[in-house]
Amino acid sequence: MATETVTVGSGNAPTPQPGSAGVASQLAGNPTTVSGVASATGGIAPGNLIETDIDDQIFRFRSEDTALMSLMLKSKKVKVNTPEVEHFMIDEQRSTLTVTTAVAEGTGAYFVLPLAAKDQAIPRNYHTLLLKGVDGYEADGKTKTPGKDLMVFVTGRDTTTQNPVVRAVNGPKSTSSDTFCTTPAIPANTKVKLLANALYETQKEVDPDLIVPQPTTVYLQKRGMNQVVSDYFEAQKKHIPFSQAIIAEQAILNFKRAGNRTLWAGRKGKFPVSVPKLGDQMVYCTEGIRWQFKRELQHTGKWTIEKLIALAKLFYTGEDVPKSAILLAGKNLLEEIQCIDFSKHPEIQIIATQNPIGWSVTRIHTVFGDIDIKREPTLDVLGWSNSGALLGEDRLVHYTYSTQHEFNDRVEGEEATRKGMVVWDGLALKGACHIWIDGEGDTSNAGSTRYTIWDQATAPTGDDLIDGQIYLLTADCPGINAAAQNGQMWQAKVTTTGSGDSAKTTASWSEYAGELVMTV
């Protein structure tokens, strides 16, 4: 007859510990035995346990409890042959550059267009560029065309500064019969729009487009789950309230929840551990997506329909536009959005529906695009109940070093079976559309672009005024600039002079074009 096995070194069944609800039902790190289960379920002695009807739905693998992991499993899977992966966050092509210093009016046909160092190589030879806000001219070179911008043609590179050398296409002329235009006056901070190249009659070779991937090393974390079941427990499973299958389901659900917390908040790292008979082995810890966001929205105050539309605009009108959006929200953020008064905007539809994954979501339809809103319980556990992640579902990459595999082994020297599974993977964000909504007042990620929504006519002051922060306006704000209008983005450059009681803080403002700083 099979005998019951218990934890090595203990003469009695292990003492159950309370779970999150205070119920003494947890036997962490212990094998499943009859006496152990009896102790964890009210102290009923072995042999007196009774099989009860159990609703299978209670023990289902609830994908909604681990929303991020479920998204990962549905995302693009990339098989790799190393736990250290070079992840390329390739963004959409840049379409807007900025003139850094003013260009003086002159009689020369060619002039240097001053750009930031990181932008100098983007315009290639034979490209055409549109200078927004700089008036062009009619064909006679004498009559300005207000509202019809100046276009220039890239002819080469300045050997000293590496800035592009350009000539005006529809600029001023000394005489109407001239083939070449002269140099027009171009103010600093002029926005430059990249247009198509223009080739001469017999040309077929041009410089390739400049696409410089941004490599980030992603570590893939190996995660495992084991359970040990004694032979005696297995033989008696029809006489006790928990079958082995149900215990396995609960173990897997706990495994998924812990893994989901890692996918959100894990910190990147690797280190050696000493293993008997094998020497040093490396342990890899993957980076949670909370630390991968390149755009962060710092939010305070009450959510309104205007702020929600501004969020949709920010998400769907950037350089990287995804096909769909899902907002995984903490409970407080979700409550605030649900309590928004939509009565003043009957054109905004908010419905309860089922998304392609099978979740029940709240879908908000705006002119910019739909946002599916789903509660993510893991955010509450991690202390981010006021925050959320607006994700492009088609912009997630699931890297796997080895496919998930299960094992079923006999425990050497014991009358028990060890069952488990091992996965070795990681999740990475692709592109720059994703937005982290921070409602906790946390410090933003290094290298991320920080936004906030501003709905007042006066300029930010005090704690609201942050150096480098970008303010997305939902109302005209003459306090920032006479030209600061609803829907625009303005960036603050804060300087402090003096010290102590005589310290004075001032801010200079510039309109933000929306390019993302892809620092890694």
Side-chain angles (χ1 to χ4, degrees):
M1 180 178 178
T3 59
E4 179 181 351
T5 60
V6 295
T7 306
V8 176
S10 64
N12 301 307
T15 303
Q17 302 298 318
S20 61
V23 179
S25 61
Q26 310 299 304
L27 295 171
N30 289 285
T32 302
T33 64
V34 171
S35 57
V37 171
S39 177
T41 54
I44 304 174
N48 296 322
L49 302 178
I50 302 173
E51 177 75 1
T52 59
D53 294 330
I54 300 174
D55 185 355
D56 291 340
Q57 299 300 315
I58 296 176
F59 300 98
R60 290 183 58 191
F61 298 110
R62 300 184 295 272
S63 69
E64 299 194 18
D65 283 353
T66 54
L68 182 60
M69 180 172 288
S70 299
L71 281 181
M72 178 184 74
L73 296 175
K74 291 285 186 179
S75 65
K76 179 181 179 181
K77 183 178 291 187
V78 178
K79 184 74 170 64
V80 296
N81 56 9
T82 172
E84 299 186 35
V85 181
E86 275 199 339
H87 172 64
F88 293 93
M89 186 180 276
I90 300 178
D91 196 4
E92 296 292 320
Q93 278 290 88
R94 291 277 299 280
S95 61
T96 304
L97 309 176
T98 304
V99 175
T100 54
T101 57
V103 175
E105 184 177 0
T107 57
Y110 299 93
F111 60 95
V112 176
L113 189 67
L115 301 175
K118 63 184 178 66
D119 296 338
Q120 291 171 349
I122 293 179
R124 309 307 297 168
N125 291 358
Y126 303 102
H127 272 183
T128 56
L129 311 174
L130 195 66
L131 277 57
K132 297 295 293 182
V134 180
D135 292 334
Y137 288 77
E138 296 284 3
D140 59 10
K142 300 295 183 181
T143 307
K144 276 192 175 184
T145 55
K148 295 182 179 179
D149 301 316
L150 178 76
M151 190 169 78
V152 298
F153 177 74
V154 181
T155 63
R157 281 282 179 284
D158 178 59
T159 55
T160 303
T161 65
Q162 297 304 311
N163 279 308
V165 175
V166 301
R167 55 179 284 190
V169 175
N170 58 332
K173 295 180 181 179
S174 299
T175 61
S176 299
S177 60
D178 287 348
T179 306
F180 285 81
C181 301
T182 59
T183 300
I186 301 172
N189 297 318
T190 296
K191 301 305 175 186
V192 180
K193 300 296 181 180
L194 276 66
L195 304 184
N197 53 25
L199 311 184
Y200 54 77
E201 295 173 74
T202 61
Q203 185 177 0
K204 66 177 183 180
E205 293 184 0
V206 293
D207 289 343
D209 288 336
L210 185 69
I211 301 176
V212 183
Q214 301 283 339
T216 305
T217 301
V218 174
Y219 292 161
L220 309 187
Q221 185 167 328
K222 188 175 184 180
R223 297 175 288 118
M225 183 203 72
N226 281 191
Q227 64 173 125
V228 177
V229 179
S230 72
D231 295 345
Y232 184 71
F233 180 90
E234 173 66 13
Q236 301 297 321
K237 65 182 181 181
K238 293 183 179 181
H239 303 289
I240 59 176
F242 298 104
S243 72
Q244 183 178 338
I246 292 173
I247 292 173
E249 287 189 1
Q250 291 304 292
I252 293 172
L253 183 58
N254 181 61
F255 177 68
K256 288 179 64 178
R257 285 173 173 166
N260 200 56
R261 293 192 289 271
T262 295
L263 293 178
W264 276 111
R267 299 313 309 269
K268 176 180 173 181
K270 66 176 182 177
F271 50 90
V273 295
S274 181
V275 181
K277 301 180 181 180
L278 295 176
D280 285 350
Q281 298 274 305
M282 294 301 297
V283 174
Y284 293 88
C285 297
T286 193
E287 183 91 321
I289 69 163
R290 169 62 187 93
W291 321 117
Q292 298 181 29
F293 285 92
K294 298 300 180 183
R295 295 202 289 181
E296 298 190 24
L297 179 67
Q298 306 291 320
H299 181 266
T300 57
K302 187 176 181 180
W303 277 92
T304 63
I305 184 61
E306 290 79 11
K307 290 183 178 181
L308 196 61
I309 294 174
L311 177 64
K313 175 184 174 183
L314 186 64
F315 184 78
Y316 277 112
T317 60
E319 294 290 339
D320 178 29
V321 181
K323 295 179 181 178
S324 60
I326 184 165
L327 174 59
L328 300 182
K331 60 184 179 183
N332 295 344
L333 174 60
L334 183 60
E335 180 184 26
E336 282 227 19
I337 292 176
Q338 287 282 10
C339 292
I340 292 175
D341 182 8
F342 290 90
S343 61
K344 297 180 181 179
H345 293 269
E347 75 283 1
I348 303 298
Q349 299 178 8
I350 177 169
I351 60 173
T353 186
Q354 191 174 66
N355 71 350
I357 297 178
W359 296 337
S360 296
V361 297
T362 297
R363 178 168 297 164
I364 296 179
H365 174 71
T366 74
V367 69
F368 296 107
D370 294 348
I371 298 178
D372 287 349
I373 304 175
K374 164 76 177 67
R375 184 192 166 211
E376 169 59 290
T378 301
L379 293 180
D380 302 330
V381 174
L382 295 172
W384 294 326
S385 296
N386 301 304
S387 303
L390 188 58
L391 301 170
E393 293 181 61
D394 59 326
R395 295 293 198 276
L396 300 175
V397 182
H398 179 201
Y399 290 108
T400 61
Y401 180 41
S402 64
T403 56
Q404 175 179 314
H405 61 275
E406 301 177 1
F407 57 87
N408 189 340
D409 304 325
R410 292 293 295 173
V411 179
E412 185 177 352
E414 302 289 342
E415 295 184 75
T417 301
R418 181 185 301 276
K419 298 181 179 181
M421 68 172 63
V422 174
V423 295
W424 199 335
D425 60 3
L427 178 64
L429 300 181
K430 181 181 179 182
C433 63
H434 316 281
I435 300 173
W436 173 256
I437 302 171
D438 176 30
E440 321 297 335
D442 293 339
T443 303
S444 57
N445 291 339
S448 65
T449 305
R450 177 173 173 150
Y451 298 83
T452 191
I453 298 174
W454 191 253
D455 58 0
Q456 301 179 34
T458 57
T461 58
D463 293 339
D464 293 328
L465 183 60
I466 300 174
D467 182 43
Q469 183 155 283
I470 299 159
Y471 294 80
L472 175 57
L473 306 183
T474 56
D476 292 349
C477 188
I480 289 178
N481 189 288
Q485 299 178 358
N486 176 22
Q488 294 179 343
M489 290 186 287
W490 287 75
Q491 188 171 25
K493 182 173 178 57
V494 181
T495 56
T496 302
T497 57
S499 60
D501 295 337
S502 61
K504 183 179 180 181
T505 300
T506 57
S508 59
W509 295 89
S510 60
E511 188 177 357
Y512 186 72
E515 293 90 352
L516 204 68
V517 180
M518 297 294 290
T519 303
V520 293

